[in-house]
Amino acid sequence: MDLTGSRETSSHRTIGSYLMGHLRDYGLLFALIAIMVFFQIVTDGTLLRPVNITNLFLQNSYIIIMALGMLVVIVSGNIDLSVGSVMGFVGAVAAVLIVQWQVPLALAVPACLALGALIGAAQGYFVAFWHIPSFIVTLAGMLVFRGLSLWVLAGQSVGPFPRSFQLLSTGFVPDLFGIGRPNGTALAAGVLAVAAILWIGLRARARNRQYGFEDEPAAFFVMRNLIVAGALLFVTWKLATFRGLPNVLISMGVLTIIYAFLTENTVLGRRIYALGGNRKAAKLSGIRTERLTFLAFANMGLLAALAGLIFAARLNTATPKAGFAVELDVIAAVFIGGASMAGGSGKVVGAVVGAFIMGVMNNGMSIMGIGIDYQQVIKGLVLLAAVFFDVYNKQKQA
């Protein structure tokens, strides 16, 4: 009897069945890799050049930051159409405060963040306590804050910002080791990130075995971590050979870790998922659904304000059209990342990967010279395919 062949067959079946059962989680990662490989080939290697990888982070930072907040809103069973307008409005207010009124950054930045949180809280108040559909409230907010942006800027662009404010978006972490190029800080950060991911993965695997939970096959665990570690080291090496770690990459990384922890490892996170899964059942179980909804929108407003500051710092000016239609990219990133339209499901990592998929597609198609008209068509089809995949999976599991 060929026991070796039998074990290999069993192992393949186990990995295959595990992948089919977690297709939503790992399908996105494979899709991102496939898209990057495709554009790397068709752009003759331009996509993964150090300068272009840096530009990918700079160009998509504000989308990723808002996608974190949008995920919480969508998981709670709502939606926010006003984030692009709020982003543009806060950027306009920042320009008036910093450029025209000469308000110090130490006061202007916190004031703008507080303004964004207040706007989100105001919209959340009507959604949570007056039970007005979030679609209507935020659609009204989109129109209101688009108009207020025009009013604040008097229909003109305001800038430039001081260099200290521009560093919020275009600055880089200095090389603490003094190597120069490649950037030692970037290399060290990449190695530490890989070590942390491996440690967390091994710890989680040991905990699952201890409590008898179903765990992924050992071969797949090794393969997945090798792919993730290789990708991280590759990206950090590319960044190290250019200018190092962008400030926005650090901001995105810290926020992603915080929101991943809050949504997956805290009581608050579990309650938000319960709220989106079944609002009535959540309320009957003692969850304060109105307060959670209110907090979800206040949080979205805060992140939209931060994105507005980063966007204005990157452009070095505030324009009346800033943030126009950005909400569509943010919502698309969350849905492509695996969030459900009905609420109650979705992950932070998925939203981030979805945002990167959108960013790589935009960047790759621009390098290829594809017109904005065709880009919009392709992005729309990708969004439709992602939603169809979600609906198909639910029907298959029912």
Side-chain angles (χ1 to χ4, degrees):
M1 181 179 292
D2 187 1
L3 294 177
T4 304
S6 177
R7 286 173 184 169
E8 289 179 356
T9 304
S10 176
S11 175
H12 288 312
R13 286 177 180 172
T14 303
I15 294 176
S17 61
Y18 181 82
L19 271 176
M20 291 304 297
H22 297 78
L23 195 57
R24 176 185 290 185
D25 296 330
Y26 296 112
L28 278 174
L29 181 60
F30 294 140
L32 177 59
I33 294 173
I35 290 172
M36 294 188 72
V37 169
F38 170 77
F39 281 114
Q40 174 71 356
I41 294 172
V42 298
T43 60
D44 295 325
T46 302
L47 181 74
L48 294 181
R49 288 178 182 172
V51 62
N52 196 59
I53 292 178
T54 301
N55 286 334
L56 274 172
F57 287 118
L58 297 180
Q59 292 168 1
N60 296 284
S61 56
Y62 61 96
I63 298 291
I64 294 172
I65 288 172
M66 287 196 290
L68 299 175
M70 186 63 73
L71 174 74
V72 175
V73 171
I74 290 176
V75 164
S76 70
N78 297 286
I79 198 165
D80 192 342
L81 301 177
S82 68
V83 292
S85 297
V86 173
M87 184 189 90
F89 174 64
V90 171
V93 171
V96 171
L97 291 177
I98 298 171
V99 177
Q100 295 184 346
W101 294 0
Q102 303 296 313
V103 176
L105 294 181
L107 295 176
V109 171
C112 289
L113 294 176
L115 175 62
L118 182 62
I119 291 171
Q123 296 188 128
Y125 170 77
F126 289 107
V127 175
F129 298 104
W130 287 91
H131 304 293
I132 303 175
S134 58
F135 183 91
I136 300 300
V137 172
T138 58
L139 177 61
M142 179 176 69
L143 299 174
V144 167
F145 295 110
R146 178 62 58 199
L148 287 177
S149 297
L150 289 168
W151 174 70
V152 167
L153 296 174
Q156 299 178 346
S157 298
V158 174
F161 288 98
R163 177 60 183 167
S164 54
F165 181 77
Q166 296 177 45
L167 292 176
L168 182 65
S169 176
T170 59
F172 290 80
V173 178
D175 187 358
L176 302 178
F177 299 95
I179 299 175
R181 187 172 296 183
N183 188 288
T185 302
L187 294 177
V191 172
L192 289 175
V194 169
I197 290 173
L198 292 176
W199 179 76
I200 292 172
L202 289 171
R203 186 181 177 188
R205 186 173 179 83
R207 187 170 59 247
N208 289 341
R209 285 185 173 182
Q210 179 181 358
Y211 292 103
F213 295 148
E214 180 187 0
D215 206 353
E216 58 186 333
F220 184 80
F221 174 81
V222 172
M223 180 183 68
R224 176 175 63 82
N225 280 282
L226 284 176
I227 292 174
V228 172
L232 276 175
L233 292 175
F234 175 80
V235 170
T236 52
W237 170 257
K238 289 287 187 177
L239 294 175
T241 57
F242 183 54
R243 296 181 61 185
L245 298 174
N247 291 338
V248 291
L249 178 58
I250 304 300
S251 302
M252 289 188 301
V254 171
L255 287 173
T256 299
I257 292 171
I258 291 174
Y259 278 86
F261 177 79
L262 288 176
T263 54
E264 298 178 17
N265 298 280
T266 65
V267 174
L268 177 64
R270 288 191 289 271
R271 288 178 176 177
I272 291 174
Y273 281 93
L275 169 64
N278 191 320
R279 183 178 296 270
K280 290 184 179 179
K283 192 174 184 65
L284 290 173
S285 64
I287 296 176
R288 300 177 66 176
T289 56
E290 289 84 4
R291 186 178 69 173
L292 280 180
T293 302
F294 176 82
L295 290 175
F297 278 94
N299 172 73
M300 183 70 256
L302 175 65
L303 292 180
L306 176 59
L309 294 176
I310 290 175
F311 186 76
R314 177 172 169 266
L315 292 184
N316 197 24
T317 186
T319 66
K321 290 186 177 181
F324 180 75
V326 167
E327 60 275 351
L328 302 181
D329 284 339
V330 175
I331 294 171
V334 175
F335 283 137
I336 290 172
S340 172
M341 297 178 296
S345 66
K347 291 185 177 181
V348 166
V349 175
V352 173
V353 172
F356 272 118
I357 288 176
M358 295 287 291
V360 170
M361 288 176 57
N362 287 334
N363 185 268
M365 289 188 290
S366 296
I367 294 173
M368 293 174 63
I370 297 176
I372 189 66
D373 46 356
Y374 290 107
Q375 290 188 31
Q376 296 295 331
V377 171
I378 293 171
K379 288 194 294 184
L381 292 175
V382 170
L383 175 59
L384 180 61
V387 175
F388 173 80
F389 182 71
D390 175 62
V391 173
Y392 173 77
N393 273 343
K394 285 189 173 181
Q395 291 178 349
K396 190 176 180 180
Q397 293 173 2

